[in-house]
Each structure stands twice: as structure tokens, then as C-alpha cells.
């Protein structure tokens, strides 16, 4: 029976009695099926019905509505497949009438012609509530905080369903799950975007949490949605933890799987595949840090010409001074910067040796490295020492370089070989930095540069050179399972030794006092 004048209520499970923490200026709306709204601010809920903000408060509020004669409907957010007659099966988007909500875990409801229990745990969520409050969150803020977490959720649902199909409930030891990881290994790449964005999400969230209304809002969401007692930053860390734990879990599974098992080879391949996924995510994260430093370096160079260095490169391989000799025997002292795909050379200012002028660059994809013996060189007809050549394979143009010391020459030749190897590894790993990320790095660098007074400019240190990496299949740091989850991602990154290049680049910084 519906009480006289009572209107049926229609809500999604996650939107029942949510509140905005804004001190009354922003309200959350409870929308019924006729489009009308009842608005409650966080402050009003605290004063009028503080019990709603306690664990279990949501079902109390729903039961009061039902007792008052209101008809309460809920929209399912997830599929619920069951073989039990006492449970209500439904699909995401189905409408369920809530008849009883006294139990915090299971509610009693009606779907079509059947009444049965259904799980109240389908009520969880932050992001949809945030989107409702445009006065509190801009689209850019939500994009920064949550990243592509919804894409990850969709991928994980599909992965979980396929994984469950491979699980043998009757004889678990005969399950074959390795092929499922191999089937979805390309899909796991979406975690890279989320992990790279995670530091920015933490920064943005930290800024918001300095204001009481945001702290109260997120806590109200958690309490009213009956989520476990973890702050929102803990929930946002979960995808990062998950992708880093897969290799550890597969390693444990492989450890206890005999070579004779039908799934052994697939588990072994899945372990290697997930190691590579974790490695790629870590490498992309490091590259994003690198491109920010490269962008700041470029805007400090005077008279820069041509495309941005980030148009083709994402890391510095080596740098230092060399003497470049022309066919006419003319020598030029230049400072060279070897990036992946290109070699940039600059000239020091005659008076201010800490100022660099852009002079030219070479496309390393077209070049071949050749050693030059000490003595008279047949191509240039001059005596050389500690020299090497870079030859353009397309035009046969020869570039001759001389180092001050034999060890300097050796380092440069190793660096050039290393540059070719890394370019190939990047291709094999699928290492790419999006055009949008490169553009953003350059915009940030120019904005930062423009905002500095010339006399107070402290310079932009160059990124340290890429440390030598193992072959792709070995790029994995094994982490003991006893380490807390919060530390897994940080520990999964390869540690880098302090670089001597920081000192060198500080010397070359323009306008430094």
C-alpha cells in the first residue's frame, strides 16, 4: 500500500541519501521517477539526521521511507547472476523495488514477478557522486583525480568473467588460467595511463582535502555507500597495486605448479607477459618525468630552431663537448646532446659560458657510427686523435668528431651504440609518449620560463642519462610478498644511481648567477 500523497522513489543504488559537504551551498539531489527533487546539504543531514552518516545509516533511511509509505525503487549498477532461488537475479540497469533494507549486506526486493534477497554491496562508488556536483568539481579535476579508472573497471569485468570460466570449481588444481592472462595481455596496457596519472591525482586530491567541505564530502560518500574504512586516496591506489601484484601472484602460482601440469607453460608465459606490462608502465612513468626536464632544457636554449626536441625524443642518452671538423679543416668547439633519434649541438656564449645557442641537429636514424684511428685521416686529409665519424647512409655525408681524451671518445661511441639499442627496445616494448603529453610538457616549460625574472633564473637541470637496462624479458624487480601493498609500486621501479651529469648541466644552465 502507498500512503496518501506519497510518491514512488526511484534511485540508483549508489545515489540513495548521498550528501555534498559544502556547508549548505551545494546540495545533493534525491530524484524520484517524476523528476522532482528533495535537496539535502551535508550540513542539513548532519543536523537533522546524523544517524544517516553512521555505518548502517543508509538502510535505516530507506526503511524509514518504506515505513512512511513511500515506494522505493533502485537501479542495479552491476549484474547479479545466481542459481539460488532465494536470491534475486538481475542485470545492470534493471529496476528493483526495495521492500526491506534492515540488513546491511542483503536487501529484500521485487524484480518483475519475483521477490528475493539481493546484495546491498552494489551501492558503492565515488565518481558518479562527484559528477553530480558541478559546483564542487570541474571536468578537468575529475579527469585528473580519477583518470581512466572507468576504462580499467570495464576491462577488469571482462577479464574476471573470462578468468572465472577457466576456474574449475570441482577440482581447483586442474584449473587453467594462464591462457586468460595471455589473451588479455594487450588490454592491461590501459593501466599505464592510470599509473602515470596517479601522482597528479594525489596532488589534486591533496589540494582539495585542505578544504573541509571536500573532506566531509568524500567521507559522507564512503559512509553512506557502506564502503570499507579506507580514504579515497587508498581506493585510488588500488589499480596501481593490482597491476604490480600480478607478476608476484603468477610467480607464486608458477612456483607450486609442476612442469607436467597442462597449464604450466601458459602460466610461465603469463608471468613473463605481466612482468613486461609492469616494466612498460614503470618505463613510461620514468619517461614522462624525463620529458618534463627535456622541455625545460629546450626553452633555456637561445635561438632554438625547428621542431621541439620532444617531437622525436623522450630521453637524454649522453652529453659533453666535442670538436667538430669540417671538410675544409675548420674546427668548431660545440656542446652535444645525444637524445634518442637525434643529436643536438649548441655553442657556448663567448662571454657568458653558461649560455647555450642552438646550432644544428642530426637525425640518428639515418646515421652510421664509424671509428677513426689516430693519425692522418684519408677522408679529411688531416691528422686526428681520439676521433670518430658519423656517416649519413642516404647522402654519404661524413661528420668528423674529436674528443679531448681517449676515454671521452670511448664513452661517446658506447653512447651512440646505446642510443640505437634503446630505440629498438622502445619499438619492441611499444614505448610511446602521446602528442598531448609532449605538448603539455612544452606548455608547462614555457609558462614556467616566462614567469621567471631573467636575473633570478636558477636554471633547468637536464635529465640524468638513461641507465643501462637489462633485456626486456629481464626488466623486473622481484618484490617479497611480505612488503605492504602501498610500497609495491614504488619498489617496482628500477633504482637509478646518482648521475654526474647533474653537475655538468648545472654549469651549462643559462642566466645562472
Amino acid at each position: 500500500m502507498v500512503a496518501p500523497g506519497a510518491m514512488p522513489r526511484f534511485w540508483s543504488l549508489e545515489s540513495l541519501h548521498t550528501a555534498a559537504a559544502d556547508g549548505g551551498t551545494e546540495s545533493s539531489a534525491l530524484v524520484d521517477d517524476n523528476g522532482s527533487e528533495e535537496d539535502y546539504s551535508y550540513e542539513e543531514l548532519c543536523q537533522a539526521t546524523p544517524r544517516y552518516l553512521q555505518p548502517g545509516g543508509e538502510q535505516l533511511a530507506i526503511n524509514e521511507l518504506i515505513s512512511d509509505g513511500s515506494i522505493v525503487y533502485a537501479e542495479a549498477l552491476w549484474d547479479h547472476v545466481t542459481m539460488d532461488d532465494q536470491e534475486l537475479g538481475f542485470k545492470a540497469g534493471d529496476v528493483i523495488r526495495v521492500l526491506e533494507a534492515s540488513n546491511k549486506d542483503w536487501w529484500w526486493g521485487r524484480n518483475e514477478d519475483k521477490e528475493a534477497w539481493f546484495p546491498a554491496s552494489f551501492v558503492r562508488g565515488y565518481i558518479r557522486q562527484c559528477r553530480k556536483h558541478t559546483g564542487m568539481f570541474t571536468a578537468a579535476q575529475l579527469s585528473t583525480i580519477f583518470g581512466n579508472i572507468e576504462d580499467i573497471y570495464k576491462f577488469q569485468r571482462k577479464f574476471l568473467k573470462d578468468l572465472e570460466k577457466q576456474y574449475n570449481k570441482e577440482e581447483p588444481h586442474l584449473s587453467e588460467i594462464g591462457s586468460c592472462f595471455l589473451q588479455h595481455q594487450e588490454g592491461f596496457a590501459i593501466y599505464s595511463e592510470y599509473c602515470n596519472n596517479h601522482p597528479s591525482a594525489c596532488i589534486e586530491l591533496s589540494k582539495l582535502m585542505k578544504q573541509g567541505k571536500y573532506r566531509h564530502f568524500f567521507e559522507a560518500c564512503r559512509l553512506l555507500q557502506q564502503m570499507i574504512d579506507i580514504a579515497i586516496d587508498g581506493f585510488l591506489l588500488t589499480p596501481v597495486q593490482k597491476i604490480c601484484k600480478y607478476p608476484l601472484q603468477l610467480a607464486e602460482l608458477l612456483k607450486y605448479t609442476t612442469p607436467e601440469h597442462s597449464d604450466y607453460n601458459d602460466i610461465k608465459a603469463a608471468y613473463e607477459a605481466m612482468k613486461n606490462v609492469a616494466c612498460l608502465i614503470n618505463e613510461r612513468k620514468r619517461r614522462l618525468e624525463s620529458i618534463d626536464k627535456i622541455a625545460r632544457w629546450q626553452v633555456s636554449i637561445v635561438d632554438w630552431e625547428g621542431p621541439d626536441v620532444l617531437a622525436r625524443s623522450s630521453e637524454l642518452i649522453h652529453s659533453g663537448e666535442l670538436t667538430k671538423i669540417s671538410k675544409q679543416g675548420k674546427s668548431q668547439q660545440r656542446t652535444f646532446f645525444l637524445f634518442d633519434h637525434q643529436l643536438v649541438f649548441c655553442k657556448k656564449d663567448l662571454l657568458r659560458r653558461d649560455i647555450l645557442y642552438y646550432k644544428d641537429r642530426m637525425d640518428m636514424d639515418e646515421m652510421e657510427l664509424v671509428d677513426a684511428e689516430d693519425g692522418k685521416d684519408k677522408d679529411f686529409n688531416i691528422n686526428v686523435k681520439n676521433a670518430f665519424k658519423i656517416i649519413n647512409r642516404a647522402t654519404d655525408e661524413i661528420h668528423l668528431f674529436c674528443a679531448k681524451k681517449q676515454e671521452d671518445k670511448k664513452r661517446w661511441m658506447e653512447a651512440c651504440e646505446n642510443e640505437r639499442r634503446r630505440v629498438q627496445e622502445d619499438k619492441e616494448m611499444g614505448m610511446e609518449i602521446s602528442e598531448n603529453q609532449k605538448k603539455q610538457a612544452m606548455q608547462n616549460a614555457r609558462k614556467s620560463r616566462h614567469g621567471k625574472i631573467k636575473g633570478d633564473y636558477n636554471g633547468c637541470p637536464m635529465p640524468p642519462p638513461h641507465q643501462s637496462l637489462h633485456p626486456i624479458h629481464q626488466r623486473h624487480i622481484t618484490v617479497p610478498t611480505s612488503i605492504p601493498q602501498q610500497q609495491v609500486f614504488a619498489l617496482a621501479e628500477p633504482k637509478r644511481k646518482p648521475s654526474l651529469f647533474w653537475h655538468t648541466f648545472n654549469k651549462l644552465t643559462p642566466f645562472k648567477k
Side-chain angles (χ1 to χ4, degrees):
M1 290 289 292
V2 180
M7 299 295 293
R9 306 292 178 179
F10 176 73
W11 298 309
S12 68
L13 287 180
E14 69 168 358
S15 65
L16 290 166
H17 289 271
T18 46
D22 61 353
T25 59
E26 176 79 8
S27 62
S28 70
L30 303 181
V31 186
D32 63 29
D33 58 348
N34 291 317
S36 63
E37 297 183 354
E38 290 185 18
D39 294 340
Y40 297 94
S41 71
Y42 178 82
E43 186 178 63
E44 290 168 339
L45 275 175
C46 287
Q47 293 174 352
T49 54
R51 63 191 181 281
Y52 291 167
L53 296 181
Q54 302 301 319
E58 183 174 15
Q59 65 264 26
L60 174 63
I62 297 168
N63 273 326
E64 287 185 1
L65 288 169
I66 294 173
S67 298
D68 290 340
S70 297
I71 298 177
V72 179
Y73 288 99
E75 179 186 6
L77 300 177
W78 331 104
D79 293 349
H80 183 231
V81 181
T82 178
M83 300 297 290
D84 192 332
D85 290 337
Q86 293 185 339
E87 293 184 25
L88 196 64
F90 48 78
K91 294 182 178 181
D94 285 355
V95 176
I96 305 164
R97 180 174 175 179
V98 183
L99 303 175
E100 172 71 32
S102 58
N103 185 286
K104 73 171 185 176
D105 298 317
W106 290 88
W107 294 350
W108 184 265
R110 178 185 300 154
N111 183 11
E112 297 177 345
D113 297 328
K114 182 179 180 179
E115 289 187 13
W117 296 103
F118 65 94
S121 59
F122 286 42
V123 66
R124 300 174 179 175
Y126 278 106
I127 191 168
R128 293 191 184 187
Q129 296 303 332
C130 294
R131 283 178 177 153
K132 294 177 183 178
H133 301 285
T134 56
M136 291 181 68
F137 301 94
T138 65
Q141 284 177 318
L142 294 182
S143 178
T144 299
I145 293 172
F146 295 103
N148 64 332
I149 198 168
E150 290 175 301
D151 293 333
I152 289 177
Y153 165 70
K154 293 175 184 177
F155 167 76
Q156 282 293 150
R157 284 190 68 186
K158 180 66 168 63
F159 175 67
L160 177 60
K161 286 182 179 180
D162 291 345
L163 197 62
E164 289 175 339
K165 292 177 183 178
Q166 301 297 112
Y167 177 66
N168 188 329
K169 294 181 179 180
E170 304 299 327
E171 298 180 279
H173 64 285
L174 297 181
S175 300
E176 297 180 354
I177 67 169
S179 60
C180 189
F181 281 91
L182 296 175
Q183 178 185 348
H184 290 278
Q185 61 177 310
E186 292 185 3
F188 282 106
I190 63 172
Y191 276 90
S192 179
E193 179 182 341
Y194 186 86
C195 293
N196 290 333
N197 178 72
H198 187 254
S200 299
C202 292
I203 292 172
E204 184 65 34
L205 197 59
S206 177
K207 292 178 182 177
L208 295 180
M209 286 301 196
K210 292 179 181 179
Q211 303 180 50
K213 69 175 184 179
Y214 289 100
R215 293 197 302 271
H216 297 155
F217 173 80
F218 287 121
E219 182 63 5
C221 284
R222 187 188 70 79
L223 290 173
L224 293 173
Q225 307 300 338
Q226 300 179 17
M227 300 170 77
I228 59 176
D229 190 10
I230 297 177
I232 183 174
D233 55 348
F235 287 109
L236 292 177
L237 181 64
T238 301
V240 177
Q241 296 170 333
K242 182 183 293 292
I243 196 63
C244 292
K245 290 191 73 175
Y246 279 132
L248 303 177
Q249 294 168 335
L250 287 167
E252 284 295 298
L253 183 60
L254 185 63
K255 180 179 177 182
Y256 294 101
T257 303
T258 62
E260 295 77 21
H261 194 284
S262 58
D263 200 31
Y264 180 83
N265 289 333
D266 280 348
I267 292 176
K268 187 175 181 180
Y271 169 58
E272 296 296 335
M274 295 310 296
K275 279 200 304 182
N276 290 341
V277 168
C279 172
L280 181 58
I281 290 172
N282 283 327
E283 182 63 10
R284 278 181 175 156
K285 182 175 182 293
R286 193 189 67 78
R287 291 292 180 91
L288 286 177
E289 296 170 353
S290 175
I291 67 172
D292 287 335
K293 296 176 182 178
I294 292 174
R296 294 199 300 272
W297 169 82
Q298 181 186 311
V299 298
S300 73
I301 303 299
V302 182
D303 297 336
W304 183 272
E305 295 180 5
D308 293 332
V309 68
L310 293 182
R312 300 195 63 205
S313 305
S314 61
E315 66 173 332
L316 175 72
I317 308 295
H318 190 61
S319 70
E321 292 188 2
L322 291 169
T323 300
K324 184 177 183 297
I325 303 175
S326 67
K327 277 286 188 179
Q328 294 74 29
K330 182 180 178 181
S331 63
Q332 298 174 325
Q333 190 76 13
R334 296 288 183 261
T335 303
F336 291 83
F337 300 88
L338 178 62
F339 299 91
D340 51 314
H341 298 287
Q342 57 186 320
L343 178 67
V344 177
F345 37 108
C346 302
K347 178 184 178 181
K348 287 184 178 180
D349 187 89
L350 293 176
L351 299 178
R352 294 287 304 274
R353 303 293 287 175
D354 54 353
I355 297 178
L356 294 174
Y357 296 87
Y358 174 85
K359 300 309 293 183
D360 206 348
R361 72 181 86 187
M362 292 182 184
D363 184 350
M364 295 303 291
D365 293 345
E366 299 177 351
M367 303 298 175
E368 179 182 352
L369 179 68
V370 177
D371 188 11
E373 297 181 357
D374 291 349
K376 192 168 186 177
D377 183 80
K378 62 179 181 179
D379 294 315
F380 286 75
N381 198 31
I382 59 172
N383 289 321
V384 297
K385 187 176 182 181
N386 306 323
F388 63 91
K389 299 175 184 177
I390 296 179
I391 303 175
N392 189 312
R393 289 190 294 268
T395 64
D396 293 328
E397 183 180 5
I398 303 174
H399 304 274
L400 179 63
F401 303 90
C402 293
K404 290 182 179 180
K405 301 177 182 179
Q406 179 65 26
E407 51 265 34
D408 293 337
K409 169 189 172 179
K410 182 179 179 182
R411 279 194 289 266
W412 269 106
M413 294 192 67
E414 289 175 349
C416 290
E417 293 174 353
N418 200 12
E419 183 269 340
R420 290 291 85 196
R421 183 169 61 253
R422 290 177 195 174
V423 167
Q424 182 62 30
E425 288 181 356
D426 285 352
K427 183 178 180 181
E428 293 174 359
M429 291 178 69
M431 170 59 62
E432 291 182 0
I433 304 297
S434 72
E435 292 302 318
N436 188 47
Q437 288 169 323
K438 294 177 181 179
K439 182 179 178 181
Q440 188 62 50
M442 291 305 304
Q443 288 177 346
N444 293 341
R446 291 187 175 108
K447 182 178 179 180
S448 176
R449 170 75 173 177
H450 182 72
K452 293 181 182 292
I453 300 175
K454 182 175 180 180
D456 293 335
Y457 185 74
N458 290 322
C460 302
M462 281 297 298
H466 190 302
Q467 297 298 314
S468 297
L469 296 176
H470 295 294
I472 293 174
H473 66 279
Q474 297 178 10
R475 294 189 190 181
H476 176 67
I477 306 299
T478 301
V479 183
T481 54
S482 60
I483 292 180
Q485 292 184 8
Q486 290 82 354
Q487 301 178 27
V488 171
F489 184 65
L491 291 175
E493 295 184 289
K495 294 183 179 180
R496 300 188 296 275
K497 297 179 181 179
S499 172
L500 297 176
F501 288 90
W502 284 104
H503 179 69
T504 302
F505 290 124
N506 284 337
K507 287 184 177 181
L508 300 177
T509 301
F511 312 119
K512 184 175 179 181
K513 285 186 175 181

